[in-house]
Amino acid sequence: MKRSNQPWWKEAVFYHIYVRSFSDSNGDGLGDLPGLISRLDYLKGGEDSLGIDALWLSPVYPSPDADFGYDIADYCNIDPRYGTMQDFDRLVESAHQRGIRILMDLVFNHTSDQHPWFLESRSTRNNPKRDWYIWHDPKRGRKPPNNWASIFGGGAWEFDPATSQYYLHMFVKQQPDLNWRNPDVPAALMDVVRFWIDRGVDGFRLDVFNMWYKHPDLPNNPPAFGIRPFDRQKHVNDMDQPEMFSALKSFRAILDSSREKTSVGELFGHDPDLAAAYCGKDKLHMVFNFEFSDCRFSPAAFRNAIQRWEASLGEDQWPCYVLSNHDLNRHITRYAKHPPNAVARITATLLLTLRGTPFIYYGEEIGLPDTRLERSQIVDPPGQRYWPLYKGRDSARCPLPWDSSPNGGFTSGQPWLPLYSNFQQHNVALQQSSPDSVFAFYRRMIQLRKEIPALTQGRYRSLNDSATAGMVYLRETETQQALIGLNFSNKRVYLNSSETLGPESWFQIISSCTDTSASIAAGGIYLNPYEAVVWVRER
Ligand code: NOJ
């Protein structure tokens, strides 16, 4: 096999761990770092392990949990509920021994209102840290300084009676926005980046990075069409300011001063041109493409999403795909009208055969759906605010069921959120012992992605842009081609190919059906209902 000269993060399969729900070692009902360390064999290096190469950890810093870790009270420490700094060091070391790299979550748009910086900032108007956050006098009639809205509902300004000014919070009011225009703020935050690099991490996921800078004059946002107040504005003044580029440049310089680091940014909205503008040699390595989360279970929707991002990113920039994450409904639930195991296999094949880095959300590898929750079980702030219109994000953040024992082996105590109700029949242990499980399929697909250079290095090329039942596409290098066929329908189909395929030359390497009769004809491919197949040939 030709050795690749691509950087590691283009070839790696990433796994996103919502630490709180992964594995609890001390019975307090919350996942923690020792729990995660005890499960590393599951991820790589053990018998029947999944085979991933890198982890993104949701925030594990001390936090009052107004937004479950995304309100950080100390950037350079570990929340005692998740463990200690020694546990963190042990995690990095044990992960590295297995060939797993670690990405930390950097939440730099805002801190917790309990962060010492904010406590100082709000103490008096002339405190040296006052200007580290965005404070402003009320408008006449004690009105907020402008019309900006919080993403989690309501206005984005909170009045502080002690100092008679408003502060800005684009999320809940316990998450005050930092003032990036004060040079001391980026300086302090870049020290945080250095701190974790010195601690051995391999990169970062950047939380809502395109909101770091706001327009210096804080003008109103113009109106837009939408349902929530936040969606009824064009976000031209509270995000995507030109200063972002120099901020990313400084950030990237720190990463590049050390070996083999990477970064992936969370960008609001589905604008591939904007994503492309934020990626590059002196910017981010990758920006998440969340467009799949809005795709119906339809080949056209996925094809368009891929082609739009391929066109904008071009050859020089690198896509990054996700099906599910901690802010979205799990895709098995999004596509609940279709058989869950079929959905899991088809989408896994798509995710793991595209040009771009795949991120797997914990539990996705066993086809885990959302947990159905009652109103009284909701803890997520936007869920509490908007129920039942929007039920929040808790149902996609429930504990991973490891086995059929009480609480699915996740905790010996009371889990912070309930497990999926059917966990006794649907868990990691059962799937690891079944060769036909979704887990076994993910494992095999991950292996194949590593064995077939076309799948990590090849160009993406659709061979049928109009089929309504399925997708046919190639990944190809100079020396190898992989042909991927996905049938999204419950009928056996024939999908045309825009190119003659030369049936004899292909070798089938995987099918999602145990009883496959998939085949290649000169002008197209035959697939069983809901079948996903990959063929390969050398050129
Ligand atoms: C995006 C994160 O993914 C989400 O979970 C969080 O609530 C907000 N940013 C605020 O940090």
Side-chain angles (χ1 to χ4, degrees), residues 67 70 110 152 171 205 207-208 266 326-327 393 397:
D67 185 20
Y70 283 92
H110 45 265
F152 286 164
F171 293 87
R205 174 260 183 192
D207 191 71
V208 293
E266 180 200 33
H326 67 298
D327 293 330
R393 301 165 295 178
R397 298 175 172 182

Side-chain angles (χ1 to χ4, degrees), residues 127-437:
N127 184 281
K129 292 244 167 25
R130 182 67 169 184
D131 189 45
W132 280 42
Y133 293 82
I134 303 176
W135 291 95
H136 206 277
D137 286 333
K139 283 214 298 220
R140 202 140 36 98
R142 222 178 148 193
K143 292 213 185 80
N146 66 21
N147 71 349
W148 296 359
S150 154
I151 292 162
F152 286 164
W157 294 95
E158 179 69 10
F159 186 70
D160 182 48
T163 55
S164 295
Q165 281 194 315
Y166 278 94
Y167 68 84
L168 181 73
H169 60 90
M170 296 306 293
F171 293 87
V172 289
K173 65 177 186 207
Q174 296 90 339
Q175 292 169 296
D177 279 44
L178 283 158
N179 179 15
W180 274 75
R181 293 188 181 277
N182 177 335
D184 293 344
V185 169
L189 294 172
M190 292 308 124
D191 281 346
V192 172
V193 174
R194 290 189 194 90
F195 175 89
W196 289 105
I197 288 183
D198 290 348
R199 214 85 206 181
V201 307
D202 304 285
F204 302 94
R205 174 260 183 192
L206 301 186
D207 191 71
V208 293
F209 73 91
N210 64 322
M211 297 181 93
W212 289 352
Y213 281 91
K214 278 75 181 179
H215 192 292
D217 305 330
L218 307 177
N220 281 341
N221 279 326
F225 185 73
I227 299 175
R228 295 178 312 161
F230 185 80
D231 302 328
R232 289 203 295 266
Q233 296 184 358
K234 285 196 189 121
H235 294 282
V236 290
N237 296 317
D238 53 359
M239 46 176 99
D240 298 312
Q241 301 298 300
E243 292 80 1
M244 262 322 298
F245 294 102
S246 59
L248 290 180
K249 200 168 176 177
S250 316
F251 169 73
R252 180 62 183 257
I254 299 175
L255 266 57
D256 286 350
S257 64
S258 174
R259 282 192 58 221
E260 303 205 315
K261 304 297 175 227
T262 195
S263 57
V264 52
E266 180 200 33
L267 188 65
F268 264 51
H270 295 329
D271 181 347
D273 289 336
L274 188 60
Y278 283 130
C279 293
K281 284 201 166 28
D282 58 355
K283 299 178 248 181
L284 295 176
H285 297 77
M286 298 176 276
V287 162
F288 285 120
N289 174 354
F290 294 124
E291 202 160 329
F292 284 176
S293 68
D294 277 348
C295 290
R296 287 171 296 114
F297 192 66
S298 126
F302 285 105
R303 240 180 349 242
N304 288 341
I306 297 161
Q307 276 162 6
R308 268 162 41 82
W309 285 69
E310 277 283 329
S312 296
L313 294 179
E315 271 190 23
D316 295 340
Q317 288 167 8
W318 193 249
C320 176
Y321 291 99
V322 277
L323 293 165
S324 290
N325 80 12
H326 67 298
D327 293 330
L328 307 166
N329 290 112
R330 288 181 176 273
H331 59 280
I332 296 297
T333 300
R334 292 205 302 272
Y335 302 131
K337 287 200 190 109
H338 301 270
N341 288 346
V343 169
R345 290 184 174 93
I346 291 168
T347 51
T349 310
L350 179 69
L351 182 75
L352 292 162
T353 58
L354 285 176
R355 172 183 170 268
T357 296
F359 272 68
I360 295 171
Y361 183 48
Y362 83 100
E364 173 179 330
E365 73 279 15
I366 59 166
L368 196 65
D370 283 353
T371 300
R372 198 185 276 271
L373 299 173
E374 303 296 327
R375 167 73 184 89
S376 59
Q377 294 169 313
I378 299 296
V379 291
D380 183 32
Q384 290 184 326
R385 182 170 190 123
Y386 287 115
W387 179 283
L389 208 62
Y390 172 62
K391 295 186 174 168
R393 301 165 295 178
D394 300 310
S395 51
R397 298 175 172 182
C398 290
L400 184 63
W402 289 96
D403 53 42
S404 310
S405 68
N407 294 322
F410 162 72
T411 180
S412 57
Q414 183 64 28
W416 77 287
L417 281 175
L419 278 96
Y420 170 53
S421 56
N422 195 29
F423 77 85
Q424 271 157 336
Q425 282 75 46
H426 194 149
N427 57 53
V428 168
L430 286 176
Q431 294 215 3
Q432 271 185 315
S433 60
S434 156
D436 297 331
S437 65

Side-chain angles (χ1 to χ4, degrees), residues 2 453-454 476-481 537-539:
K2 186 171 161 274
E476 54 184 358
T477 63
E478 300 310 312
T479 54
Q480 192 183 51
Q481 285 181 313
R537 72 176 172 197
E538 305 305 321
R539 304 174 95 181

Side-chain angles (χ1 to χ4, degrees), residues 403-509:
D403 53 42
S404 310
S405 68
N407 294 322
F410 162 72
T411 180
S412 57
Q414 183 64 28
W416 77 287
L417 281 175
L419 278 96
Y420 170 53
S421 56
N422 195 29
F423 77 85
Q424 271 157 336
Q425 282 75 46
H426 194 149
N427 57 53
V428 168
L430 286 176
Q431 294 215 3
Q432 271 185 315
S433 60
S434 156
D436 297 331
S437 65
V438 168
F439 174 84
F441 188 76
Y442 260 86
R443 187 169 182 269
R444 181 84 189 111
M445 272 308 308
I446 292 172
Q447 243 169 27
L448 288 173
R449 188 171 170 94
K450 295 190 179 147
E451 286 164 16
I452 311 292
L455 291 181
T456 41
Q457 299 161 36
R459 281 182 305 276
Y460 164 89
R461 194 149 62 84
S462 168
L463 291 185
N464 186 328
D465 283 341
S466 56
T468 50
M471 293 173 72
V472 192
Y473 56 93
L474 286 176
R475 296 289 312 285
E476 54 184 358
T477 63
E478 300 310 312
T479 54
Q480 192 183 51
Q481 285 181 313
L483 172 66
I484 296 99
L486 307 175
N487 180 2
F488 286 65
S489 81
N490 59 3
K491 301 192 177 55
R492 185 171 161 82
V493 291
Y494 176 72
L495 300 171
N496 281 319
S497 162
S498 53
E499 260 168 41
T500 310
L501 290 170
E504 336 56 54
S505 53
W506 294 96
F507 179 66
Q508 189 186 111
I509 55 168

